[in-house]
Every structure is written in C-alpha cells, then in structure tokens.
Amino acid sequence: MQAWIEKVSKMFEMAFITEDRWKLYLSGLGVTLKVALLAAVLGLAIGTIVALMKLSTNKQGKRTIWSYIANAYIDIIRGTPSVLQLLIMWFIIMKSCKNGVLVAVLSFGINSGAYVAEIVRAGILAVDKGQTEAGRSLGLSKSQTMLYIVIPQAIKNVLPPIGNEFIVLLKETAIVGYVSLSDLTRVANQVSSRTYEAFMPLIGAAVIYFVIIKILTILLNKLERRLRKSDNR
Amino acid sequence: MIIVKDLHKTFENNHVLRGVDYHVHQGEKIVVVGPSGSGKSTFLRCLNLLETPTSGEIWFDGQKITDSKVDIDKIRQHMGMVFQNFNLFNNLSIMDNITLAPVKLKLMNKEEACENALSLLTRVGLKEKADAYPSQLSGGQKQRIAIVRSLAMNPKVMLFDEPTSALDPEMVGEVLDVMKELAKSGMTMVVVTHEMGFAREVGTKVLFMDEGIIMEENTPAEFFNNPQCQRLQDFLSKVL
C-alpha cells in the first residue's frame, strides 16, 4: 500500500509538478477555451444568418437562391470531417496565415455554424404559424414579425440543443494540435511523451475537460430555467 | 369597399375556391356560413392575402391588392383580422401585444398607443389585464384582447375567422357581445362563423358557401326563413 501511494504520487509529481508542468496544462486550457468560445460566437452568428437564409421565401412562397446557398453550405460542412476542414483551412485556404488560433476559430466557427443553423431553423419552425400570421395581418413586415415575435420565442426552443452544440464544440477543439496549437489535449500528450508515463497527463486532461463542461452544463440549466420561468408568468 | 372578382384558390390538387364574386360595401356586416371544407375560411384569408389567390382579383378601397406591385403590409394595416386560435403573441404582455404594431409601424408613439390600448381594453372590460401575459388568460379573454389588438390599428374593415369556434361554450357570449358592440359602432365586418344566432341578429347579409362558391346570399330574415337552394335547406335543417 505504502509503495503504491509512493508510486502514484511520484507519477503525479512528474506529470504536474516537475518543471512547473501544471502551467503547461493551464495555458493549454486557455487555448482550448479561447478557440471554443470564439468559435461558438462565430458559429452562433453564422448559424442564425444561415438559418434565416434557408427559411427565406419570395412573394410566391418559393425558396430563394439564398435558401439553396444555405443548404449547400450545410450539406458540405456536415458531409466532411471537421479535422479535414481544419487541415484544409490551415494548409490550403489560409496557407499564408501563421496565426493558428485565427485559423482554428474560423474553421470551427464555420463548422459549428452549419449545425447551429439547423438548430435555429428547427426552433423557428417550432413557433406556431399563427404567431406569424397574426403579426403579418397587423401590417408588420416579414422581418419585423421575425424580429419581435418569432425569434424571441424561438430562443427558448433552441437553448437546450445550442448548449449541446457548445459542449460538442468544446471537445472537438481537441484536434487543434493538427495546426500546431498547444491546447489541453496536445499538452497532455506532450507531457506523456516526455515522461514516458501516459496515465496521469491523459486522465488529468480528461478530468479538466469534464469539470469545465460540468460547469457549463450547470450554467446552461440555470439560464434555461430562468427563461422557462417567464413562460408561466 | 372590398370587391372580389372570380376568385380561385387551389392547394396542390384541391380546388378550394371555384370562382367567388362578391362586393362588400362600407358598413356592411357580412356573415359567411357553410359546412367545413366549403372554402369559407380560405375565402376570408384571401381577402387580406394571408392566402395568395391562384387567380382572380381583389380590390380594397379602390386599389387592386392582388397586383404584385402593391405593398400588402400597408394594406393589411387597414384590415383587422381575428383568428380562431387567437394568436396572441406569447412572448409579450397584453399591453405590448396591442401596442407593438402601431408603435413599430410608427402610426403612434408609445404613449399614444398605450392610452389608446387602455381605452380599448376598458371598452371590452379587461383593463386590469394590461400587464398580464396571454398564458394567464381564458380563451374568451384572449379573443377579446385579439379583437382589441386589431382595433388598435384603426382598421377600415374587420375580418373574423371563426372567432368563437375554439372557445368553451360559456365564453362564446362575451366574445359575441364585443363583436355586436363593434357592429353597432358601424365597423365593416366579414365574419366566418357557425353562430347562426349571431348571423341572424347582426348580419346585414348572410352568405352560404359550399364547394368553393357562394351558393346563396340574402338578408338574414330571408336566408333563414326562406332558403332557396336545396343544399342550404339541408344545411339549415342540421344546424338550427
């Protein structure tokens, strides 16, 4: 027992204490959070715009050219692996850009946008058609009806799946090592190859991801409950 | 005020309206009755282009609104509409439900709109509900608010699409009372309903629609006491 405890604490020391390695994890986590957060904001913006594009119709109620463009974007993004998208962004589209964070944020933001677009579209469609008809019958334009009546109600619908999307996004950033960013996963991997001891760094990184996402989940639940409360005033 | 010429509407393969012609004059209260599926709701929804007619013309106040160049949002400001399912805006308080359109369309400033809303709410006896939300109201209250919301735009005509069909029987009366009062004030109204008593009492003309056309049109007295076509006689014998 004594020997086992000694062994584990030695492993722990090697993984986190020696050469101040805990600082590496911390900066790795910083990179992970920075990329995930900025990409989430970008994804939300892209997703909302694309959802509105996809839903757009002309006066005859037919789909517009924007709708087809939005559809093509969603198809392409969902039809290819995000690792490949990241590599294509890094090695082809933004070849001359040496800012890995920027490339990663763009790549993940564009990727997430496709999924968010479908979530937002579903949220808008879930709002009763009568709400739109009532708005339009009062003389409000399509966009006014959308802005003042439909979207505020859609936000409540989309919050749970959007939270889910953020969580997926946060974990998906574990592949940014491909564009030589030192995020949490890559740092853990580096430490383990330095110490020839994989257990502590990898489990440690996993625990950090878990805690961050747990906190995020709690915050999202709080927000959702607050919005629901305004439902049954 | 509203002229309808040879109106047709087709959904997929379903020919719902098969040539409707009608002329609604200022101040008239037109009540439209008929079996379900007869096209009466579709007819009403075509009047403010919530449904786009497949062919035919609709004129409102001397303007051909089926013309694609017409700004339909402008036209709709003058045509109130009340729905079967109320369709109050769930995310807004009653006051905001009523003032949203007049304020956002810059017809009134916020204070004027609120004042106007309060006096309208008083008229239907719901002044104390101004700060409530739609989910807190009964069906009858919701429908009265929905009528107020349309009236807040000072419309020239009011369209009612089965306004009492989704209500509990005991709430039908309070909504009909508001509509009767509105009729007395001289509002031009087109009402699709199953309330034969209302048709008889308030209507200046009653229309019977079936199979996508207006089969019979008459004054309420003649319509109910002396129906001409067989189809209407059958219908009345079932509903009266």
Side-chain angles (χ1 to χ4, degrees):
Chain A
M1 190 64 193
Q2 190 74 33
W4 185 78
I5 290 173
E6 223 160 78
K7 195 177 152 219
V8 169
S9 61
K10 186 88 184 69
M11 275 164 66
F12 185 86
E13 195 188 323
M14 223 160 55
F16 298 106
I17 314 291
T18 317
E19 296 173 4
D20 278 348
R21 280 180 186 142
W22 57 274
K23 282 184 181 162
L24 287 176
Y25 295 91
L26 215 58
S27 83
L29 178 62
V31 171
T32 294
L33 289 179
K34 187 154 69 179
V35 171
L37 209 69
L38 292 175
V41 171
L42 182 62
L44 203 57
I46 293 177
T48 309
I49 293 166
V50 171
L52 292 173
M53 279 169 64
K54 188 166 173 177
L55 287 170
S56 66
T57 51
N58 62 14
K59 268 190 174 162
Q60 282 80 46
K62 298 257 162 45
R63 291 173 61 190
T64 60
I65 179 82
W66 298 111
S67 170
Y68 287 102
I69 293 172
N71 220 12
Y73 158 76
I74 293 169
D75 260 3
I76 292 167
I77 296 299
R78 290 202 305 192
T80 51
S82 53
V83 186
L84 261 179
Q85 290 166 13
L86 182 65
L87 291 175
I88 289 168
M89 191 63 93
W90 180 240
F91 287 114
I92 301 172
I93 298 173
M94 301 188 63
K95 202 170 160 187
S96 52
C97 175
K98 293 287 156 263
N99 185 341
V101 172
L102 179 66
V103 170
V105 166
L106 276 177
S107 179
F108 283 113
I110 291 170
N111 178 277
S112 182
Y115 294 91
V116 171
E118 287 297 85
I119 293 170
V120 171
R121 188 172 70 92
I124 288 173
L125 289 177
V127 175
D128 182 21
K129 204 163 146 260
Q131 298 282 313
T132 308
E133 287 183 349
R136 297 304 306 277
S137 78
L138 288 166
L140 294 170
S141 68
K142 239 188 214 180
S143 47
Q144 285 173 320
T145 307
M146 203 41 118
L147 188 62
Y148 300 124
I149 298 160
V150 178
I151 288 182
Q153 296 183 54
I155 287 174
K156 250 179 270 187
N157 295 338
V158 302
L159 200 66
I162 287 285
N164 195 40
E165 171 59 24
F166 284 174
I167 288 170
V168 170
L169 177 61
L170 183 76
K171 290 182 298 184
E172 204 150 88
T173 59
I175 57 173
V176 291
Y178 276 100
V179 295
S180 45
L181 281 183
S182 292
D183 74 316
L184 184 55
T185 301
R186 190 166 192 234
V187 164
N189 203 13
Q190 281 167 340
V191 171
S192 71
S193 57
R194 173 84 76 80
T195 59
Y196 300 106
E197 172 44 65
F199 184 83
M200 275 296 168
L202 296 188
I203 296 295
V207 168
I208 298 172
Y209 274 111
F210 179 83
V211 169
I212 296 293
I213 286 168
K214 189 72 202 170
I215 293 170
L216 191 63
T217 308
I218 291 168
L219 290 177
L220 282 166
N221 283 343
K222 273 212 171 117
L223 183 63
E224 201 189 323
R225 233 174 300 144
R226 243 187 44 201
L227 286 181
R228 290 276 161 222
K229 213 181 267 168
S230 70
D231 236 4
N232 354 305
R233 268 175 291 218
Chain B
M1 176 167 258
I2 304 177
I3 303 169
V4 180
K5 287 183 192 164
D6 196 29
L7 183 66
H8 285 261
K9 175 68 184 177
T10 315
F11 294 105
E12 307 285 319
N13 296 322
N14 189 7
H15 203 157
V16 180
L17 294 180
R18 300 162 180 268
V20 177
D21 292 273
Y22 201 71
H23 191 160
V24 182
H25 298 90
Q26 175 105 38
E28 279 191 313
K29 294 89 177 79
I30 308 297
V31 181
V32 186
V33 301
S36 45
S38 59
K40 53 193 192 311
S41 279
T42 307
F43 167 62
L44 191 77
R45 289 162 58 85
C46 278
L47 295 183
N48 69 351
L49 299 196
L50 273 187
E51 300 291 355
T52 314
T54 310
S55 68
E57 294 180 5
I58 298 169
W59 293 69
F60 176 68
D61 248 4
Q63 202 176 0
K64 185 178 165 193
I65 63 172
T66 37
D67 199 321
S68 61
K69 283 181 221 68
V70 163
D71 179 3
I72 189 61
D73 296 338
K74 268 273 183 308
I75 304 287
R76 287 188 182 131
Q77 294 181 14
H78 305 294
M79 302 173 103
M81 183 150 197
V82 175
F83 300 86
Q84 182 175 351
N85 296 316
F86 331 126
N87 295 338
L88 293 182
F89 305 134
N90 297 321
N91 56 319
L92 301 176
S93 72
I94 298 309
M95 184 51 93
D96 290 340
N97 261 277
I98 299 168
T99 57
L100 178 75
V103 172
K104 294 299 177 193
L105 295 171
K106 303 197 167 44
L107 304 177
M108 298 177 197
N109 64 34
K110 186 85 187 156
E111 288 77 47
E112 288 168 344
C114 283
E115 216 170 285
N116 185 37
L118 277 178
S119 79
L120 285 168
L121 282 172
T122 311
R123 200 165 132 193
V124 298
L126 289 171
K127 193 180 170 198
E128 73 284 359
K129 297 290 184 192
D131 297 321
Y133 278 78
S135 59
Q136 298 169 319
L137 303 183
S138 72
Q141 292 173 329
K142 280 185 199 171
Q143 195 61 297
R144 285 187 279 160
I145 301 288
I147 293 171
V148 164
R149 180 176 65 179
S150 289
L151 289 178
M153 295 292 291
N154 293 320
K156 294 177 180 162
V157 58
M158 287 282 286
L159 311 175
F160 292 85
D161 187 5
E162 303 199 24
T164 56
S165 296
L167 296 175
D168 288 344
E170 56 181 331
M171 290 171 183
V172 170
E174 64 191 57
V175 172
L176 290 182
D177 286 345
V178 171
M179 291 169 64
K180 283 174 197 165
E181 197 241 355
L182 189 61
K184 254 186 234 142
S185 75
M187 177 65 75
T188 310
M189 296 162 71
V190 182
V191 185
V192 171
T193 188
H194 294 294
E195 294 293 328
M196 296 301 151
F198 179 83
R200 197 191 290 262
E201 187 182 336
V202 178
T204 52
K205 280 278 171 59
V206 186
L207 310 187
F208 176 67
M209 279 190 80
D210 195 22
E211 290 166 13
I213 55 166
I214 297 175
M215 285 213 165
E216 189 154 340
E217 171 212 339
N218 222 326
T219 58
E222 281 293 302
F223 186 91
F224 288 106
N225 301 331
N226 189 16
Q228 299 297 314
C229 75
Q230 184 61 43
R231 211 36 213 95
L232 176 57
Q233 289 166 10
D234 292 347
F235 178 74
L236 289 177
S237 71
K238 276 180 216 149
V239 298
L240 287 181

